Amino acid sequence: MIRFNEDRRRLLQALGATAALGSTSLLSGCATTGQGKTIGRVVVIGGGFGGATAAKYLRKWSKGTIDVVLIERQSHFISCPTSNEVLAGHRKYETLVHSYDALRKNWGVKVIQAEVTGVDPVRHTVSTDKGEVIPYDRLVVSPGIDFNFGAVAGYDAKARESILHAWKAGPQTLALRQQLEDLRDGGTFVLSIPKAPYRCPPGPYERTSQIAHYFKTHKPKSKILVLDANDKIISKTKLFADNWAEDYKGIIEYRPNWNATEVDAASRTLTSEIGDKVRGDIINLIPPQTAGQIAHQAGVVNANNRWADVNWITLESTAVKDIHVLGDATLSAPTMPKSGHMANQHGKAAAAAIFETFSGRTPQPITMANTCYSLVDHRRAIHVDSVHRWDAEKKTVVPVPGSGGVSTAPSIEEGLYARAWAQNIWADSLG
Amino acid sequence: MKAFATPLLGCCLLAAAQLAGATETPRPTPYFAANCFNCHGTEGKVNSAIPAIAGRDREYLAEALKAYKAGTKPATIMHQLAKGYTDEELAILADYFSRQK
């Protein structure tokens, strides 16, 4: 395989133009004769909603002429969306877990389970903890978020054994569910929400509704205390406020502008930046976030030392050439949320841009859309959605005036759509 | 590195399979149609509470999308999403999904 790449490079040097990448003879050569010519090689780091989708659609749209290697450290995809339902006992954990086999079998993506240890943007290589050095023409970095535990004093490795975030689905999801099951009736669950931007804006509020439903039906004397570093519920504001007032009266207490800066794990106490203290039986502390570590390592994190600024036509980094960044790791465009749905859209936009470039064409802006469903109990859901279009003057994507919106009220109908959405986006990203 | 030989083979088998099913006149892929795949399934093919839109009558799809945009067809979400697209784009989407088999 390396040979193909070198051959192609030599050919390119000889021709002195990247446009040669797209020569149709190469393309149809692959498609019709089966001799395995490629028009380019892409390495994707991270198999979440962004990276998996990019890998699939690169293969699909190029009709197999782009060689795609996906490097993911986990053996399986574990979905954050719908994981709040697991906490409430409304969904089996196993339904969050999905295999990468379909990407391999259906699309010919080479999926490698490994940890990326380095990116060399000059030599165009990625190295892994398995000792592999993998060359790329384009690199797609889709690492999701990492936590800034340092922003909360006392949130060290020891504290993290009992103070959970459960903001990446996986073992923490199960552990927090266990804490909820073990809680005595009459206990207090404290949820601490960081200042925006963070992954999944409505997620903490959905979690509140989900756990409130569990308390209401299983531990009716128990309480939820929501400590929000933001000045209000930042997503589906009125819908959540109404849901809590109407369905979970007396269970949920909401305190805005409560920014947790210290935790004492032993006494399960949070301290705010102005010195207020709160004790709870369970502390669910979601820390502030930043682009995944590998994005920092690759040098694409150029906004506040937290996020990766990208060109919103191609998703290419504005800091490093030939590296595209997707999903939660990006410096979000105006009003664009950090969501799985959005990351899937980023993956498609990047796949289209890379395929167009390899084909000798200029990538065109692509309209993107978002939807976040939230379950407010065991069967009713609400949503927020938006459509984002390229604005040539502002050089970014902006919401289309008059489009998008939220539900009028929670409904069973939307509960069905929310669950269908999860099934369908898992299949669209991984299947 | 020899491990990378497999996907290539996969690539061309796949490509051949897809070519066989391709339509007569190659058109540029309307990439933005993939916005709809998240909910309606890849290429609009799905079996779920959210309806499949692949292979449906073009006129029906065009009418439905127009009515969503105008706010005259009851919906939980499509009336909000349809307003994000121009009339021309909605026509392209109706045509595209009607041709997915």
Side-chain angles (χ1 to χ4, degrees), chain A residues 17-334:
Chain A
T18 35
L21 279 173
S23 128
T24 28
S25 61
L26 281 185
L27 198 145
S28 55
C30 168
T32 53
T33 66
Q35 279 170 6
K37 296 233 173 64
T38 70
I39 60 169
R41 163 192 285 261
V42 178
V43 173
V44 181
I45 303 175
F49 283 104
T53 301
K56 167 174 165 175
Y57 280 86
L58 279 162
R59 297 286 299 164
K60 178 174 161 60
W61 282 334
S62 76
K63 297 201 184 334
T65 62
I66 296 176
D67 198 12
V68 179
V69 178
L70 172 66
I71 310 172
E72 164 59 46
R73 61 184 163 197
Q74 293 184 173
S75 65
H76 287 78
F77 170 99
I78 307 175
S79 178
C80 276
T82 74
S83 66
N84 282 329
E85 293 174 61
V86 174
L87 297 177
H90 295 147
R91 173 186 279 277
K92 283 207 169 68
Y93 175 78
E94 290 68 30
T95 65
L96 309 181
V97 182
H98 298 269
S99 157
Y100 290 107
D101 284 351
L103 284 183
R104 295 187 175 97
K105 284 190 203 129
N106 299 348
W107 301 105
V109 176
K110 168 80 184 159
V111 185
I112 297 177
Q113 191 187 347
E115 176 100 33
V116 171
T117 49
V119 171
D120 186 335
V122 178
R123 308 180 82 148
H124 279 61
T125 56
V126 173
S127 40
T128 75
D129 61 349
K130 305 260 161 72
E132 287 164 305
V133 179
I134 305 168
Y136 67 81
D137 298 312
R138 293 289 176 129
L139 177 65
V140 175
V141 177
S142 191
I145 47 131
D146 267 355
F147 297 112
N148 181 7
F149 291 106
V152 186
Y155 209 177
D156 54 24
K158 179 87 183 64
R160 276 176 251 159
E161 288 170 13
S162 59
I163 309 293
L164 306 173
H165 53 75
W167 213 243
K168 287 186 184 182
Q172 290 239 344
T173 310
L174 290 170
L176 186 57
R177 171 66 190 160
Q178 192 59 52
Q179 289 187 350
L180 286 160
E181 280 181 26
D182 294 345
L183 183 73
R184 70 186 161 87
D185 189 10
T188 302
F189 173 86
V190 178
L191 175 63
S192 171
I193 306 172
K195 272 206 183 94
Y198 58 81
R199 161 178 284 181
C200 188
Y205 311 113
E206 178 191 59
R207 177 169 293 184
T208 301
S209 292
Q210 283 296 304
I211 292 173
H213 186 265
Y214 171 64
F215 285 172
K216 187 175 171 176
T217 50
H218 290 82
K219 296 177 180 174
K221 295 196 210 90
S222 306
K223 301 268 181 282
I224 300 176
L225 182 51
V226 182
L227 306 175
D228 196 339
N230 301 288
D231 61 2
K232 60 168 190 299
I233 298 171
I234 63 163
S235 179
K236 307 173 204 176
T237 311
K238 188 174 181 310
L239 287 163
F240 279 116
D242 289 352
N243 169 239
W244 297 351
E246 283 161 26
D247 297 312
Y248 305 122
K249 205 169 161 36
I251 297 177
I252 301 168
E253 185 191 335
Y254 177 79
R255 293 188 199 163
N257 297 309
W258 213 102
N259 187 23
T261 50
E262 194 182 336
V263 63
D264 181 59
S267 65
R268 294 188 299 273
T269 304
L270 286 174
T271 307
S272 78
E273 61 192 337
I274 57 166
D276 285 351
K277 284 190 192 298
V278 160
R279 213 200 72 81
D281 296 297
I282 300 174
I283 306 280
N284 180 194
L285 176 48
I286 305 168
Q289 295 149 31
T290 178
Q293 190 272 331
I294 197 64
H296 287 267
Q297 208 275 339
V300 295
V301 177
N302 56 349
N304 304 325
N305 197 28
R306 264 184 99 184
W307 310 112
D309 186 39
V310 296
N311 168 322
W312 283 105
I313 297 176
T314 59
L315 278 295
E316 191 175 355
S317 160
T318 58
V320 187
K321 214 176 147 340
D322 296 339
I323 301 186
H324 301 247
V325 189
L326 313 180
D328 297 349
T330 58
L331 174 67
S332 304

Side-chain angles (χ1 to χ4, degrees), chain A residues 60 64 356 385 389 424 428, chain B residues 11 31 39 42-43 80 89:
Chain A
K60 178 174 161 60
E356 289 296 291
D385 70 292
R389 183 181 290 272
N424 297 349
D428 183 48
Chain B
C11 127
Y31 294 116
C39 290
T42 303
E43 305 295 2
Q80 296 166 345
E89 286 169 334

